[in-house]
Amino acid sequence: MNNEQTLSIIKPDAVERNLTDEIKALFIKNNVKIKEDKKIHITKDEAAEFYKGHQSKPFYNDLCAYLS
């Protein structure tokens, strides 16, 4: 039995385009079990912490602003 877990984030543009259900259906179709499903709004500080591995990249600030 495979016990791998991963985090999947449906980005703001996909939510705005009402693609959330379609994306989740693709997971299920491909035998990816959705263990938890929640919708949250994150702050720029939370996005900065999440993406801190990209801090030195030129797109970092735009990415944090976009996700928040």
PDB file of all heavy atoms in Angstrom, residues 1 10-12 15 18 21 28 30 32 50-51 54 57:
ATOM      1  N   MET A   1       0.842  -1.186   0.000  1.00  0.00           N
ATOM      2  CA  MET A   1       0.000   0.000   0.000  1.00  0.00           C
ATOM      3  C   MET A   1       0.886   1.249   0.000  1.00  0.00           C
ATOM      4  O   MET A   1       1.807   1.368   0.773  1.00  0.00           O
ATOM      5  CB  MET A   1      -0.910  -0.029   1.223  1.00  0.00           C
ATOM      6  CG  MET A   1      -1.766   1.190   1.355  1.00  0.00           C
ATOM      7  SD  MET A   1      -2.781   1.105   2.838  1.00  0.00           S
ATOM      8  CE  MET A   1      -4.294   1.680   2.165  1.00  0.00           C
ATOM      9  N   ILE A  10      -4.734  24.591  -5.392  1.00  0.00           N
ATOM     10  CA  ILE A  10      -5.417  25.108  -6.574  1.00  0.00           C
ATOM     11  C   ILE A  10      -5.251  26.623  -6.507  1.00  0.00           C
ATOM     12  O   ILE A  10      -5.736  27.271  -5.589  1.00  0.00           O
ATOM     13  CB  ILE A  10      -6.886  24.676  -6.615  1.00  0.00           C
ATOM     14  CG1 ILE A  10      -6.970  23.141  -6.659  1.00  0.00           C
ATOM     15  CG2 ILE A  10      -7.591  25.317  -7.810  1.00  0.00           C
ATOM     16  CD1 ILE A  10      -8.376  22.592  -6.598  1.00  0.00           C
ATOM     17  N   LYS A  11      -4.537  27.147  -7.456  1.00  0.00           N
ATOM     18  CA  LYS A  11      -4.133  28.554  -7.436  1.00  0.00           C
ATOM     19  C   LYS A  11      -5.326  29.488  -7.682  1.00  0.00           C
ATOM     20  O   LYS A  11      -6.358  29.085  -8.222  1.00  0.00           O
ATOM     21  CB  LYS A  11      -3.043  28.807  -8.478  1.00  0.00           C
ATOM     22  CG  LYS A  11      -1.796  27.945  -8.294  1.00  0.00           C
ATOM     23  CD  LYS A  11      -1.005  28.350  -7.071  1.00  0.00           C
ATOM     24  CE  LYS A  11       0.193  27.476  -6.796  1.00  0.00           C
ATOM     25  NZ  LYS A  11       1.323  27.612  -7.658  1.00  0.00           N
ATOM     26  N   PRO A  12      -5.176  30.754  -7.276  1.00  0.00           N
ATOM     27  CA  PRO A  12      -6.290  31.705  -7.355  1.00  0.00           C
ATOM     28  C   PRO A  12      -6.935  31.846  -8.735  1.00  0.00           C
ATOM     29  O   PRO A  12      -8.160  31.963  -8.833  1.00  0.00           O
ATOM     30  CB  PRO A  12      -5.653  33.033  -6.922  1.00  0.00           C
ATOM     31  CG  PRO A  12      -4.538  32.622  -6.016  1.00  0.00           C
ATOM     32  CD  PRO A  12      -4.006  31.344  -6.625  1.00  0.00           C
ATOM     33  N   VAL A  15      -9.348  29.012  -9.257  1.00  0.00           N
ATOM     34  CA  VAL A  15     -10.546  29.195  -8.427  1.00  0.00           C
ATOM     35  C   VAL A  15     -11.458  30.234  -9.072  1.00  0.00           C
ATOM     36  O   VAL A  15     -12.674  30.014  -9.185  1.00  0.00           O
ATOM     37  CB  VAL A  15     -10.160  29.602  -6.983  1.00  0.00           C
ATOM     38  CG1 VAL A  15     -11.406  29.943  -6.170  1.00  0.00           C
ATOM     39  CG2 VAL A  15      -9.359  28.496  -6.301  1.00  0.00           C
ATOM     40  N   ASN A  18     -13.509  28.932 -11.773  1.00  0.00           N
ATOM     41  CA  ASN A  18     -14.403  27.853 -11.337  1.00  0.00           C
ATOM     42  C   ASN A  18     -13.946  26.472 -11.792  1.00  0.00           C
ATOM     43  O   ASN A  18     -14.749  25.639 -12.205  1.00  0.00           O
ATOM     44  CB  ASN A  18     -15.841  28.124 -11.805  1.00  0.00           C
ATOM     45  CG  ASN A  18     -16.421  29.356 -11.164  1.00  0.00           C
ATOM     46  OD1 ASN A  18     -16.312  29.550  -9.959  1.00  0.00           O
ATOM     47  ND2 ASN A  18     -17.010  30.218 -11.963  1.00  0.00           N
ATOM     48  N   ASP A  21     -13.720  22.040  -8.973  1.00  0.00           N
ATOM     49  CA  ASP A  21     -14.344  20.720  -9.060  1.00  0.00           C
ATOM     50  C   ASP A  21     -13.735  19.876 -10.175  1.00  0.00           C
ATOM     51  O   ASP A  21     -13.539  18.671 -10.021  1.00  0.00           O
ATOM     52  CB  ASP A  21     -15.857  20.833  -9.246  1.00  0.00           C
ATOM     53  CG  ASP A  21     -16.560  21.345  -8.002  1.00  0.00           C
ATOM     54  OD1 ASP A  21     -15.988  21.206  -6.890  1.00  0.00           O
ATOM     55  OD2 ASP A  21     -17.673  21.886  -8.129  1.00  0.00           O
ATOM     56  N   ILE A  28      -9.310  12.344  -8.581  1.00  0.00           N
ATOM     57  CA  ILE A  28     -10.068  11.124  -8.291  1.00  0.00           C
ATOM     58  C   ILE A  28      -9.997  10.148  -9.462  1.00  0.00           C
ATOM     59  O   ILE A  28      -9.781   8.948  -9.264  1.00  0.00           O
ATOM     60  CB  ILE A  28     -11.523  11.485  -7.923  1.00  0.00           C
ATOM     61  CG1 ILE A  28     -11.530  12.261  -6.597  1.00  0.00           C
ATOM     62  CG2 ILE A  28     -12.391  10.246  -7.846  1.00  0.00           C
ATOM     63  CD1 ILE A  28     -12.832  12.961  -6.284  1.00  0.00           C
ATOM     64  N   ASN A  30      -7.653   9.746 -11.448  1.00  0.00           N
ATOM     65  CA  ASN A  30      -6.310   9.176 -11.487  1.00  0.00           C
ATOM     66  C   ASN A  30      -5.919   8.500 -10.174  1.00  0.00           C
ATOM     67  O   ASN A  30      -4.736   8.362  -9.858  1.00  0.00           O
ATOM     68  CB  ASN A  30      -5.301  10.258 -11.867  1.00  0.00           C
ATOM     69  CG  ASN A  30      -5.425  10.629 -13.319  1.00  0.00           C
ATOM     70  OD1 ASN A  30      -4.994   9.887 -14.190  1.00  0.00           O
ATOM     71  ND2 ASN A  30      -6.040  11.767 -13.607  1.00  0.00           N
ATOM     72  N   VAL A  32      -6.076   9.384  -7.094  1.00  0.00           N
ATOM     73  CA  VAL A  32      -5.456  10.183  -6.047  1.00  0.00           C
ATOM     74  C   VAL A  32      -6.548  10.499  -5.030  1.00  0.00           C
ATOM     75  O   VAL A  32      -7.534  11.175  -5.348  1.00  0.00           O
ATOM     76  CB  VAL A  32      -4.844  11.487  -6.600  1.00  0.00           C
ATOM     77  CG1 VAL A  32      -4.306  12.348  -5.475  1.00  0.00           C
ATOM     78  CG2 VAL A  32      -3.759  11.167  -7.612  1.00  0.00           C
ATOM     79  N   PHE A  50       5.906  29.909   2.920  1.00  0.00           N
ATOM     80  CA  PHE A  50       5.690  28.698   2.123  1.00  0.00           C
ATOM     81  C   PHE A  50       6.687  28.605   0.969  1.00  0.00           C
ATOM     82  O   PHE A  50       7.214  27.545   0.663  1.00  0.00           O
ATOM     83  CB  PHE A  50       4.252  28.678   1.593  1.00  0.00           C
ATOM     84  CG  PHE A  50       3.907  27.422   0.849  1.00  0.00           C
ATOM     85  CD1 PHE A  50       3.626  26.243   1.519  1.00  0.00           C
ATOM     86  CD2 PHE A  50       3.863  27.420  -0.538  1.00  0.00           C
ATOM     87  CE1 PHE A  50       3.315  25.088   0.829  1.00  0.00           C
ATOM     88  CE2 PHE A  50       3.553  26.266  -1.233  1.00  0.00           C
ATOM     89  CZ  PHE A  50       3.273  25.091  -0.543  1.00  0.00           C
ATOM     90  N   TYR A  51       6.952  29.730   0.326  1.00  0.00           N
ATOM     91  CA  TYR A  51       7.822  29.756  -0.843  1.00  0.00           C
ATOM     92  C   TYR A  51       9.239  30.238  -0.528  1.00  0.00           C
ATOM     93  O   TYR A  51       9.975  30.636  -1.426  1.00  0.00           O
ATOM     94  CB  TYR A  51       7.220  30.645  -1.937  1.00  0.00           C
ATOM     95  CG  TYR A  51       6.065  30.008  -2.662  1.00  0.00           C
ATOM     96  CD1 TYR A  51       4.774  30.519  -2.554  1.00  0.00           C
ATOM     97  CD2 TYR A  51       6.253  28.879  -3.453  1.00  0.00           C
ATOM     98  CE1 TYR A  51       3.711  29.929  -3.217  1.00  0.00           C
ATOM     99  CE2 TYR A  51       5.201  28.288  -4.120  1.00  0.00           C
ATOM    100  CZ  TYR A  51       3.933  28.813  -3.994  1.00  0.00           C
ATOM    101  OH  TYR A  51       2.892  28.218  -4.648  1.00  0.00           O
ATOM    102  N   HIS A  54      12.323  29.804  -2.663  1.00  0.00           N
ATOM    103  CA  HIS A  54      12.465  30.561  -3.912  1.00  0.00           C
ATOM    104  C   HIS A  54      12.841  32.020  -3.658  1.00  0.00           C
ATOM    105  O   HIS A  54      12.810  32.846  -4.575  1.00  0.00           O
ATOM    106  CB  HIS A  54      11.155  30.525  -4.702  1.00  0.00           C
ATOM    107  CG  HIS A  54      10.744  29.157  -5.120  1.00  0.00           C
ATOM    108  ND1 HIS A  54      11.436  28.413  -6.048  1.00  0.00           N
ATOM    109  CD2 HIS A  54       9.713  28.373  -4.713  1.00  0.00           C
ATOM    110  CE1 HIS A  54      10.831  27.239  -6.205  1.00  0.00           C
ATOM    111  NE2 HIS A  54       9.798  27.190  -5.399  1.00  0.00           N
ATOM    112  N   LYS A  57      14.981  34.061  -6.043  1.00  0.00           N
ATOM    113  CA  LYS A  57      14.588  34.094  -7.455  1.00  0.00           C
ATOM    114  C   LYS A  57      13.861  35.400  -7.775  1.00  0.00           C
ATOM    115  O   LYS A  57      13.181  35.979  -6.934  1.00  0.00           O
ATOM    116  CB  LYS A  57      13.708  32.883  -7.759  1.00  0.00           C
ATOM    117  CG  LYS A  57      14.385  31.579  -7.324  1.00  0.00           C
ATOM    118  CD  LYS A  57      14.289  30.511  -8.346  1.00  0.00           C
ATOM    119  CE  LYS A  57      15.147  29.333  -7.954  1.00  0.00           C
ATOM    120  NZ  LYS A  57      14.433  28.197  -7.501  1.00  0.00           N
TER     121      LYS A  57
END
